[in-house]
Amino acid sequence: MTLPDRDSGREVSLRETRVRATDYLAAPFWPVRLAEELRQLGVGWRESAEICADAAWAARAAGRSVLGLLSPDEITAADLDPVIARTYRHLYLSALRYDFRCATLQASVEQLPSSAISELDCYSRALYTFALLGQSRPEGLALMEEVLAEAGDHAKTLHVLLHGLWLGHDLDQGAERLLALSARPAFGAGTDPIVLFRVAGALRRLGRYDEGLAAIDRALDLLPPGDITVHADLVRERSLIAAARDVHQHLSARAFGGTAA
């Protein structure tokens, strides 16, 4: 007789929860239902991050953003079950990230009870780091290194940091840091269109236009069919790279012509 594999059973439960998380979006208080299910499963921060990030994105696309369902007071409450509190935090901060509300995200974390701040999980700290990086605040770079040391190759966490580096245009060596982060093993296959999109933007900032165009073209080719919103972002980036290359070539030609004359 072969006993069932507990780990396999847990993976099945987590996959089912990921699917149900999308179904919950039609419910009036879907974050509460999702939080309770994650509490019953006893998920860790990695599993919570993976489920909540996707749920927050799907809810935003469906016009059911968690920002309209949870209040800041619920995020900072001190008497919640730890798993439920973390679920609310992951959902709410992820929604702020997707809306590029960096200052509000930063403030939301800093308003948490001091005990909660001192015990923040790695993904929550990554989201806080995103808020700092997105505002080009240099302290975000030091915090990023701390998060990376704990996150390892957890792809969802690395995506948050990559997003912050992409958004923070005035960071010291921000583009170079983004390229280094994109080369980590978690992204090693080179088949993630969002990573390639971020890489293309960094290459544009570095003046490596042909490489940037190659990256964005690969991203477009890898994008799932019908992904209209992200497709528009990629096409816009391609236009920016092409325009920047044209300006660079025009200025180079003028400088060369002026010297020759």
Side-chain angles (χ1 to χ4, degrees), residues 34-50:
L34 179 59
E36 181 57 30
E37 183 158 346
L38 296 188
R39 185 192 67 79
Q40 292 175 2
L41 286 171
V43 300
W45 70 263
R46 290 174 174 83
E47 298 159 332
S48 176
E50 291 156 13

Side-chain angles (χ1 to χ4, degrees), residues 43 46 49 67 108 111 126 131 136 151 165 180 182 202 208 244:
V43 300
R46 290 174 174 83
L67 299 180
S108 296
Q111 289 166 9
S136 295
L165 289 171
S182 72
R208 295 161 58 179

